Every structure is written in structure tokens, then in C-alpha cells.
Amino acid sequence: MDREFFRCDTLNELFNIGVKRAADMLSEIVHRKVSLQIPKIMVSESEEKRLKLGEQFSGPFDGALMVSTISFQNSLNGKANLIFPADKIKKLVALCSAEGIFPPEDIAFTDVDFDVVREIGNIILNCILGEISNLVDLHLVYDLPRVVVYNRIDFNQDIGREKDHSVMILFVTFLIDNTEIEGAVIIDLAVESYRDLLRLLDGIEAGI
Amino acid sequence: MDLVSREVLDLLNLGILIVDETFKICFQNRFMKKIFVKNKIPPQCSSLPELIPGFSSPYFQMSLMDAIEQGHGLFFSAALHETLLGGREKYNIRVNRFLEDGEKRLLLEFTEVTDSFERIRQLRENISELRLLNQELKQKERSIQRLAYYDHLTGVANRALFYEMAEKFLYAAERNREILGLMFIDVDNFKQINDTYGHEAGDKVLVQVSEILTAATRRNDIVARYGGDEFLILLPQIKEPDNYKIVVSKILRAKRDALVSNGVSVKICLSFGVSFFPQDGCSVDQLIVKADRAMYVAKQQEGDNCYYAAEDHHETGPFINH
């Protein structure tokens, strides 16, 4: 339990450094005060936890989602996904781009919406993955982000299908000026990579 | 870079820049040079921040350094960096690291997306026009509805709406075994007001009467202008026929001095007749006839009289003090 706590604590610290850096970068390009917080991190280490994770995720993200994904290979293999409820995307894009406001009837996604989410995903995911790779001194090869809209994600079904994968969920709160937007980052690691990561974290705990 | 690679890159329909670890320009393809000409950027500049000053901002510097050192792929959207190249055209930029003879290089691809922005702008304009059109149509629909169902002068229900509502109330009263009251109201000496002070003064009196009647009735009661100086009130779901007196009392208690011309006001007097479903008739017309007759009886007396045939007595001015 202590070891698990230490792992979560280390990851939390790591991810918070990453999102702090991402928030600074976002603030600079959108010319607004952006803060990013990670109120909760969850790791699916067992079947039971995986189901719990699904329950926790389904609440705020039960609907259409826009997902920006970066794949990485080499020392660790997996995918990192930045996820937003689709109904929040217009607000996010309007806040981040020069538009400022958006007409309420403007509901269809445009190429610009996809591009903005692609860049935001690129910034946040690169910062988070960059921190992991710095900490454990691993070299990762990244793909450019891919953005897809899903009508609905059945988390349990999707994760259950990937038995040889482990999942970490970071619930991320975006605060842009005074507007709050809830998002999440899901890091999906091949089980071998996940074990490698845990071994490296345990090494840090042991002072190796 | 060999000649074939350069020629292939020159054939691409997107701008290509290759920079080294110090962001010195190693190569720019033909399309990229065209972009620089279009945006009045001197192509002979030797480094990326010199060529495109926006790249010297901390965000770009940090991102490009990460790309060089850690191999991050980067994407910069035109929406978030509209002014990066300074011109009207908009470009998305992708950055990838590659190795050339063991040296780290960054490949920057500039894809023009000006058309996408223009299409979105047009789409938004169309949506906005449609929204305005839709609002206008709704407004017109409301106006038409008002014209069809409300009296133009007083704003209360007209005959069409009165009959529509009366039929509904009558049906409900029959089904639920309720009492429906109908009040017929006529302005006393209205012709005299018109003749003495003019039609404009008469109109003012009618507007004030409408306001008094509306204020004295419940939210679900219907006040209607039947024609000329005649008004009707539908009183659905009244518990006792006698309850009409509450309404009459409220009306007579209201301030009924109408300012008809400069400094001249007249006292508005009203005559009332009432009838009730089911005791006085089973149709709207029967109830109107009964109430009209009762009003006629009330009108024979001095001003502010009310008559209900079944009671066979007049309710006059003093009754408001009961």
C-alpha cells in the first residue's frame, strides 16, 4: 500500500510539473491566464481498480468526446490521450483563439476546432510525457497528435479489450480566466512498459 | 541533402523549411520562398527567428528546443498563431526531427489553411443571417398572432380569441361540473364622451377600461373587447355564482377618472350584466344574450350598476361598500 502510495505521489508530482509547464505555454499563446490542475490521478493496476476507474470516468465523460492522441514508442510504448467532452470544445476553442465568444447556434466542429485541440493536446501531452521521459531518463519517439471525435466511449469495454495494457487517468481542470473546463488525460501503456515505469519509480523510492 | 531530395521537396505544394540545432536555415523549398515573397519576408535571412520573428517567443523557443532535444513532434495551429507570418494567409505548421549525417535537423511543414478559415467565416455569416431571418419570422408570427387574437386599440382579447377561449372553458366546465361566469360590461354615456371630447378621448376611455378590467380579474380570466364600448369577461372555475361580486367590487373600487384632454378628466361609469353556465344557458351565445339583457336592465339605473337576473335585484354603487 505504501509503495502504491509512493508511486501515485511521484506520478502526481511529475504530472503536476508537466501541466504547470503546459499552462505557462498556453497562457503565453492565448494571452489569458491559464491554469491547469490535476485533482485526481487513478491507475488501473488490478481488474477491480480498472472497473472502478471506468465508473469514475464515465460520470463526467458520458457523451460525445473529442480526443487528441499522441503515440510514443521506444523505451516505453503506448498512447497518451487528452480528452474533452465535445460540448465543451466550442467554449475551449473560443477562449483560446482570437474569437473570444462563439454564437450559440455554432455547434458543428470545424477544421479550426480540430487544429486548436490538436495543438493544445500537443502542448499538454508533450509536457507530461517529457517529464516522464526526463525522470526515468528514457528516450521516447513521439508521433504528431491525431484528433478524433467519438460519439461515446465505453471505457470498461475499451480498456477490458486491452488486457495487456495498463491505464493511468489524470483528471485535468482547465481554468482559463474564470472559466473552468474539465478534461482528462489517459495514458495507455503496454503492460511491459508499465512494469518498466513502476520499476523505475520503485528505484527512485529505493534511492537507486 | 542530395539533388533529388531537393527537387522532390521543391515539387511539394506546402512550404518546407529545414533548420539545424541552432535554428539556422539549411533549406527552404520553392513554395516556402513564395510564402516569404507574399508576406514580404526577406528570404536571405539565415536563422529561423530572424526570418519569422514570432519564432523567437519563449513558447516557440521552448517547443523547438524540446523538438530538437527530445524529439517531440510539434503542431502549431493557424488559429492560435494568426499573426506569425504577418500576412493574410494562414498556415498550420508541423515540426518533426530527423537526423542528417548524425546531425539533428528540424523539418517544418507550412500547410496553407486560408481557405478553411474563409469557408468557416462564410458558414458563420450564413448561420448568423439565418438566425436573424428566423428571429424576424418569429417576430412576424407573433405580430400576426396578436393581430388575429388581440384588440388593436386596447390590447385585450378580441372576439375571435374570446370565442375560442369561451368554447374551451365551456367544455371544461361541462366536463368538470364547474360554474363558468360571463360578465357583459358597457361604458355608460360613451357616445356622449365621444361627441363632447372627440374620438381620441373615447379611445383613451376604452384603454383605461381595459386596464381596470384586466387588473381586477384573475390571471386565467379572459377580458375581451366585444365591440365598440362593450367588454366581456369570462370567469372560469368560480366556486359560487356570488363570487362575481368580488370582481365587480374590484372594478368599481379602481380609480376611474380618465384624462381625456388637457386638464379635463371624466369619471368612467360602467354597467354590468352577468350570466352563468349551466343555469343561464348551455352555449356561449346563450350566456352572452343573458348577460347582455342583464346589463341592459342595469343600464336603466344611474351609473355603476350590476344586474343578475336570477337574483332579480341590482347591485349598485353602494354595494361596493358591503
Side-chain angles (χ1 to χ4, degrees):
Chain A
M1 187 63 197
D2 283 348
R3 173 170 289 181
E4 202 178 298
F5 179 79
F6 175 82
R7 284 170 181 170
C8 264
D9 209 34
T10 311
L11 285 173
N12 202 338
E13 199 173 317
L14 204 65
F15 293 144
N16 269 300
I17 296 169
V19 294
K20 168 78 177 68
R21 187 161 179 256
D24 289 345
M25 289 171 109
L26 277 173
S27 296
E28 186 193 328
I29 58 169
V30 305
H31 308 293
R32 290 169 190 267
K33 172 80 187 136
V34 179
S35 89
L36 296 173
Q37 286 156 359
I38 304 178
K40 194 160 49 177
I41 295 182
M42 298 185 78
V43 181
S44 73
E45 283 173 299
S46 62
E47 184 64 25
E48 187 194 342
K49 281 199 173 172
R50 189 176 289 174
L51 287 171
K52 204 173 162 199
L53 214 63
E55 279 168 28
Q56 299 245 359
F57 181 79
S58 304
F61 297 95
D62 187 20
L65 301 171
M66 191 179 263
V67 182
S68 177
T69 305
I70 289 181
S71 300
F72 50 91
Q73 306 90 36
N74 214 9
S75 310
L76 296 176
N77 292 313
K79 281 187 287 185
N81 308 277
L82 176 66
I83 297 172
F84 290 107
D87 58 352
K88 299 286 191 313
I89 293 297
K90 285 283 171 187
K91 193 190 274 184
L92 179 75
V93 171
L95 284 167
C96 291
S97 61
E99 294 170 52
I101 50 161
F102 65 98
E105 66 277 4
D106 188 0
I107 47 164
F109 293 127
T110 65
D111 291 351
V112 170
D113 299 328
F114 278 82
D115 287 345
V116 169
V117 172
R118 185 173 289 122
E119 183 164 355
I120 292 173
N122 195 203
I123 294 169
I124 294 171
L125 298 176
N126 275 350
C127 284
I128 289 173
L129 294 174
E131 289 305 322
I132 294 180
S133 105
N134 280 341
L135 178 88
V136 293
D137 202 18
L138 292 175
H139 175 65
L140 301 179
V141 175
Y142 305 89
D143 284 352
L144 277 168
R146 201 167 60 93
V147 179
V148 179
V149 172
Y150 295 96
N151 276 336
R152 192 172 174 276
I153 291 178
D154 189 331
F155 186 87
N156 281 334
Q157 199 183 12
D158 284 9
I159 299 298
R161 201 184 298 143
E162 307 263 359
K163 290 278 186 212
D164 52 347
H165 282 238
S166 283
V167 167
M168 287 183 274
I169 298 185
L170 292 66
F171 291 91
V172 184
T173 305
F174 283 69
L175 197 63
I176 305 173
D177 283 345
N178 291 320
T179 308
E180 209 174 280
I181 296 172
E182 301 292 336
V185 172
I186 297 185
I187 300 172
D188 173 6
L189 283 169
V191 81
E192 273 307 313
S193 296
Y194 184 66
R195 280 187 200 137
D196 288 345
L197 180 65
L198 295 185
R199 239 190 323 270
L200 289 161
L201 290 173
D202 294 344
I204 292 170
E205 189 194 11
I208 300 165
Chain B
M1 191 187 299
D2 63 46
L3 193 64
V4 176
S5 305
R6 281 172 181 270
E7 279 190 8
V8 170
L9 291 176
D10 269 341
L11 289 173
L12 294 178
N13 207 21
L14 71 162
I16 297 285
L17 270 183
I18 297 172
V19 298
D20 68 10
E21 281 180 77
T22 62
F23 304 140
K24 191 173 148 248
I25 310 283
C26 302
F27 172 79
Q28 47 187 300
N29 75 345
R30 200 176 293 153
F31 194 93
M32 197 69 226
K33 285 174 188 159
K34 278 187 201 165
I35 294 175
F36 290 144
V37 170
K38 256 195 239 174
N39 293 289
K40 298 185 180 122
I41 297 168
Q44 66 274 19
C45 296
S46 60
S47 79
L48 184 61
E50 212 182 316
L51 197 64
I52 305 167
F55 274 115
S56 57
S57 76
Y59 169 66
F60 282 107
Q61 287 289 308
M62 216 185 290
S63 304
L64 293 173
M65 283 311 291
D66 282 349
I68 284 277
E69 286 166 7
Q70 301 198 357
H72 290 171
L74 303 176
F75 177 80
F76 302 121
S77 69
L80 295 180
H81 309 285
E82 260 190 280
T83 54
L84 187 67
L85 289 175
R88 200 189 66 83
E89 284 81 15
K90 295 176 177 21
Y91 297 90
N92 282 343
I93 306 166
R94 287 167 187 273
V95 182
N96 280 295
R97 189 181 72 176
F98 69 99
L99 294 174
E100 187 186 21
D101 301 329
E103 299 289 324
K104 289 172 184 168
R105 302 274 187 260
L106 288 184
L107 171 72
L108 288 84
E109 301 166 49
F110 292 72
T111 311
E112 187 171 355
V113 289
T114 317
D115 285 351
S116 294
F117 274 77
E118 186 54 27
R119 274 201 307 275
I120 291 164
R121 193 191 59 76
Q122 284 174 359
L123 192 70
R124 287 203 172 135
E125 256 180 33
N126 290 344
I127 290 172
S128 178
E129 276 171 26
L130 281 172
R131 179 165 50 94
L132 286 176
L133 200 65
N134 192 28
Q135 276 173 357
E136 271 175 36
L137 281 172
K138 278 186 179 162
Q139 185 66 39
K140 279 185 182 155
E141 203 177 292
R142 278 196 290 269
S143 302
I144 289 167
Q145 203 176 17
R146 276 207 80 73
L147 287 172
Y149 283 114
Y150 293 90
D151 179 56
H152 185 60
L153 174 68
T154 60
V156 297
N158 64 12
R159 284 169 86 128
L161 182 56
F162 169 82
Y163 273 104
E164 209 170 281
M165 293 309 294
E167 289 298 343
K168 280 185 189 163
F169 286 159
L170 200 62
Y171 175 74
E174 204 171 352
R175 194 183 52 193
N176 304 327
R177 299 182 175 202
E178 292 165 347
I179 300 169
L180 171 67
L182 190 147
M183 200 175 277
F184 201 114
I185 301 138
D186 189 277
V187 182
D188 294 338
N189 306 316
F190 185 69
K191 188 176 179 307
Q192 202 180 323
I193 295 168
N194 263 343
D195 292 347
T196 312
Y197 303 106
H199 287 281
E200 213 175 301
D203 286 351
K204 283 182 184 170
V205 168
L206 293 176
V207 170
Q208 189 161 345
V209 170
S210 308
E211 286 168 1
I212 292 167
L213 300 184
T214 306
T217 47
R218 299 167 299 174
R219 187 199 281 255
N220 291 337
D221 296 341
I222 298 288
V223 176
R225 185 171 171 210
Y226 194 52
D229 60 335
E230 293 170 338
F231 291 86
L232 294 172
I233 300 177
L234 281 168
L235 303 164
Q237 295 175 313
I238 53 173
K239 288 187 180 132
E240 300 290 337
D242 248 15
N243 288 357
Y244 80 90
K245 289 175 186 169
I246 300 168
V247 180
V248 174
S249 164
K250 277 188 187 169
I251 294 168
L252 295 181
R253 237 186 284 157
K255 188 174 180 294
R256 285 175 291 133
D257 293 314
L259 191 67
V260 289
S261 65
N262 286 346
V264 180
S265 63
V266 293
K267 168 113 166 107
I268 301 169
C269 292
L270 303 167
S271 295
F272 303 81
V274 280
S275 61
F276 297 94
F277 168 84
Q279 49 266 53
D280 296 314
C282 295
S283 72
V284 177
D285 285 332
Q286 281 172 354
L287 293 175
I288 293 174
V289 168
K290 279 275 176 73
D292 186 17
R293 279 186 196 149
M295 186 278 298
Y296 186 75
V297 174
K299 215 173 189 46
Q300 308 309 308
Q301 312 299 313
E302 287 296 309
D304 287 348
N305 277 284
C306 182
Y307 183 70
Y308 173 37
E311 287 177 336
D312 199 22
H313 70 268
H314 300 232
E315 296 289 359
T316 62
F319 123 97
I320 63 173
N321 296 320
H322 286 186

